[in-house]
Amino acid sequence: MIPALQLDFVAVTETDGVLIVGFADDPFETTAYFMLQRAEPRTDAEVYFERDGQQHSGYGRVRRWTLSRCQLELELEESLASRLELPNAFAVRFLCDDAAFEQLGAALLRVFSGKGQP
């Protein structure tokens, strides 16, 4: 079993051409979070990631991703995983209703440009 972050709340927003997918431990008083960000138009394959603050952040590529009903599994480039202080393969566990799950899947397809499996 791969290591996992338990971040029950999911949010997808888009502002000024920037798509943000976020996971957090609490929707209002967040102490732990994991965020992916992709700007439009896409100029390369890199995605911005941030975990619990900008000290754990960076741009990089996703080797593989898989979305299931309550979990997003990611495999990142080694250098990006190191900057995030995470193993290169890990999961984010979350809870959401069907509508939010559909929105999450569509957003991740856009963020990762279809690489991987939803």
Side-chain angles (χ1 to χ4, degrees):
M1 182 186 301
I2 63 173
L5 304 172
Q6 185 68 44
L7 299 169
D8 289 334
F9 298 93
V10 177
V12 175
T13 60
E14 188 166 5
T15 306
D16 298 328
V18 178
L19 180 61
I20 300 170
V21 176
F23 302 88
D25 62 343
D26 187 275
F28 303 107
E29 295 183 26
T30 302
T31 58
Y33 70 90
F34 183 73
M35 178 184 69
L36 307 88
Q37 182 175 301
R38 186 78 181 256
E40 297 284 352
R42 297 179 184 134
T43 56
D44 57 35
E46 291 192 338
V47 176
Y48 177 76
F49 292 86
E50 188 172 302
R51 183 186 65 83
D52 300 338
Q54 290 185 341
Q55 71 276 16
H56 302 114
S57 67
Y59 285 89
R61 288 182 166 72
V62 174
R63 291 184 179 155
R64 182 189 60 80
W65 67 280
T66 305
L67 179 63
S68 60
R69 186 59 182 91
C70 298
Q71 181 168 284
L72 170 63
E73 291 184 21
L74 295 165
E75 183 179 336
L76 307 177
E77 295 176 313
E78 299 275 340
S79 61
L80 174 59
S82 177
R83 288 191 304 273
L84 297 173
E85 294 187 8
L86 289 169
N88 71 316
F90 64 97
V92 179
R93 294 193 181 125
F94 58 88
L95 301 170
C96 64
D97 62 24
D98 290 341
F101 182 71
E102 285 184 34
Q103 183 183 31
L104 173 62
L108 289 172
L109 281 172
R110 288 179 58 202
V111 167
F112 298 135
S113 300
K115 181 175 182 159
Q117 298 178 357

